[in-house]
């Protein structure tokens, strides 16, 4: 089982910052984000030809983006707005990967103009990229996305099987258009084993041989993301949370296998969940206790939609009563979907107590909405130190 903790530093900050501040709010720890980004970069330094990109769709809070940029991570973006923001932040084209199955002409024009890496998701997508490049009189830097057999079911609708990749590449050669720079794949999310990456790399290596027969060398390989986060390990079909390897070790092992399979190729990797997750925690307040059901003012539907899918730590402030007693935790909306957890050992909380839900930085903030009221404020953990100095 994964060890689930919320640090004393985070709990102390939550308790201090909740005084006189409405709950729920997100507690942002920029230091945790920087440390996670730093760990992924340490693997990149060892491999040498590995570049790390943070996917903005995971969480685009400005403080988080600034923290990962300071650590040298590039940006993986899926919209024109994010592409423009990444460029405005000073990221050069080569430090941007532009993804998505349906890129509009304006987005493609901007990506082509700045020299970003563009991932072609389908034959139609590749045709659109090449068509816009021809209209602009430039040469695109694009990769063909392989739908690897090892990808999770939710990813099976994206990318191309090997035969489709070869057909797109052959068409480019025959029509004397720009050839792809290489391949890309994305296997899913919350992965805890190197095995799916190993399988996808074997499939990509076989595909590279077929492309080689067309005179196309795979110079770039995008390994995608999918690396699990320890604080929110995704449950399996039986509700169990797996053991999660440290991010730097995970990235290093995957990249080392890729380097052996593709000697000389530039490698791209895109950890999102493993970077953002532990940088945000949701601070809520108990508003009602009814038997073994504890209601809090944080709503799953507004603030923590993905929490029930993972094994997050729930920490009451203060802790009262038995550590063996388990409670269901629900938000304020009168619908079954607003249950945050069906069973958590949080003792015997009382109305007015705090409940901190740890490691919610991946996708929860970006999916937040006003169904249960106002959007939750984001408060930096450093604000506690500033308050102490006033």
């Amino acid at each position: 089982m994964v060890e689930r903790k919320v640090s004393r530093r985070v709990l102390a900050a939550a308790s201090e910052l909740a005084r006189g501040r409405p709950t729920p709010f997100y507690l942002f720890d920029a230091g945790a984000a920087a440390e996670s980004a730093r760990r992924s970069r340490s693997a990149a330094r060892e491999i040498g030809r590995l570049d790390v990109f943070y996917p903005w769709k995971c969480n685009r809070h400005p403080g988080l983006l600034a923290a990962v940029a300071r650590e040298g991570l590039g940006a993986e973006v899926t919209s024109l707005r994010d592409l423009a923001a990444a460029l405005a932040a000073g990221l050069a084209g080569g430090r941007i990967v532009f993804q998505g199955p349906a890129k509009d002409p304006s987005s493609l024009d901007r990506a082509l103009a700045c020299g970003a890496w563009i991932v072609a998701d389908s034959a139609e997508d590749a045709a659109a990229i090449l068509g816009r490049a021809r209209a602009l009189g430039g040469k695109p830097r694009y990769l063909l996305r392989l739908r690897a057999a090892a990808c999770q079911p939710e990813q099976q609708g994206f990318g191309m099987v090997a035969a489709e990749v070869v057909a797109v590449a052959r068409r480019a050669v025959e029509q004397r258009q720009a050839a792809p720079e290489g391949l890309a794949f994305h296997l899913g999310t919350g992965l805890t084993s190197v095995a799916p990456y190993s399988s996808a790399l074997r499939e990509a290596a076989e595909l590279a041989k077929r492309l080689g027969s067309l005179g196309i060398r795979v110079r770039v390989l995008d390994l995608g993301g999918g690396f699990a986060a320890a604080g929110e390990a995704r449950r399996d079909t039986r509700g169990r949370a797996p053991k999660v390897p440290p991010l730097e070790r995970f990235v290093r092992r995957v990249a080392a296998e890729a380097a052996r399979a593709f000697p000389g190729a530039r490698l791209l990797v895109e950890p999102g969940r493993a970077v953002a997750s532990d940088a945000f925690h949701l601070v809520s307040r108990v508003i009602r206790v009814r038997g073994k059901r504890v209601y809090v003012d944080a709503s799953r539907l507004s603030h923590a939609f993905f929490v029930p899918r993972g094994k997050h730590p729930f920490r009451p402030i203060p802790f009262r009563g038995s550590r063996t007693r388990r409670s269901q935790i629900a938000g304020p909306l009168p619908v079954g979907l607003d249950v945050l957890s069906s069973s958590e050992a949080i003792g015997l909380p009382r109305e007015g107590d705090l409940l901190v839900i740890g490691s919610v930085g991946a996708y929860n903030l970006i999916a937040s909405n006003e169904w249960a009221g106002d959007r939750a404020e984001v408060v930096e953990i450093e604000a506690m130190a500033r308050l102490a100095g006033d």
Side-chain angles (χ1 to χ4, degrees), residues 369-383:
N369 58 70
E370 297 182 348
W371 194 350
D374 294 337
R375 290 179 185 269
E377 180 186 11
V378 176
V379 184
E380 290 192 37
I381 200 169
E382 286 77 10

Side-chain angles (χ1 to χ4, degrees), residues 39-257:
R39 288 200 297 267
S40 66
R41 285 285 295 161
S42 70
R45 284 191 293 270
E46 290 186 25
I47 300 300
R49 47 196 170 92
L50 175 66
D51 293 323
V52 185
F53 297 77
Y54 170 73
W56 284 25
K57 63 182 179 295
C58 181
N59 184 331
R60 61 172 67 89
H61 183 266
L64 174 63
L65 297 182
V68 299
R70 284 194 297 268
E71 297 301 324
L73 272 60
E76 185 250 295
V77 300
T78 55
S79 70
L80 178 58
R81 185 186 72 169
D82 284 351
L83 174 60
L87 292 170
L91 292 174
R95 295 186 63 202
I96 299 173
V97 174
F98 187 47
Q99 298 258 18
K103 308 172 187 70
D104 63 85
S106 297
S107 299
L108 281 178
D109 288 356
R110 190 70 182 270
L112 289 163
C114 74
W117 298 102
I118 307 176
V119 178
D121 200 86
S122 63
E124 294 79 7
D125 200 23
I129 294 168
L130 291 170
R132 293 310 305 162
R134 188 166 54 250
L136 295 173
K139 182 180 179 181
R141 307 170 73 183
Y142 73 105
L143 312 174
L144 300 179
R145 178 173 174 176
L146 168 67
R147 187 194 309 159
C151 69
Q152 295 175 333
E154 63 187 23
Q155 294 295 325
Q156 288 290 345
F158 305 99
M160 299 172 277
V161 298
E164 292 175 307
V165 171
V166 172
V168 169
R170 179 179 290 113
R171 191 175 304 116
V173 171
E174 291 174 348
Q175 297 179 357
R176 298 187 177 183
Q177 295 179 313
E181 293 282 336
L183 299 171
F185 58 75
H186 182 71
L187 303 179
T189 188
L191 302 175
T192 59
S193 170
V194 176
Y197 294 94
S198 300
S199 174
L201 283 168
R202 289 192 295 271
E203 188 176 354
E206 288 300 314
L207 176 55
K209 293 177 183 178
R210 298 174 66 181
L211 295 178
S213 67
L214 299 174
I216 298 175
R217 178 187 170 194
V218 175
R219 295 181 172 85
V220 180
L221 178 66
D222 185 345
L223 304 166
F227 304 98
E232 56 151 347
R234 305 301 292 272
R235 301 172 189 261
D236 62 17
T237 55
R238 297 173 63 182
R240 300 172 301 183
K243 184 176 181 180
V244 178
L247 177 59
E248 66 274 24
R249 185 189 307 168
F250 203 169
V251 172
R252 188 184 304 118
R253 287 187 61 190
V254 171
E257 286 199 24

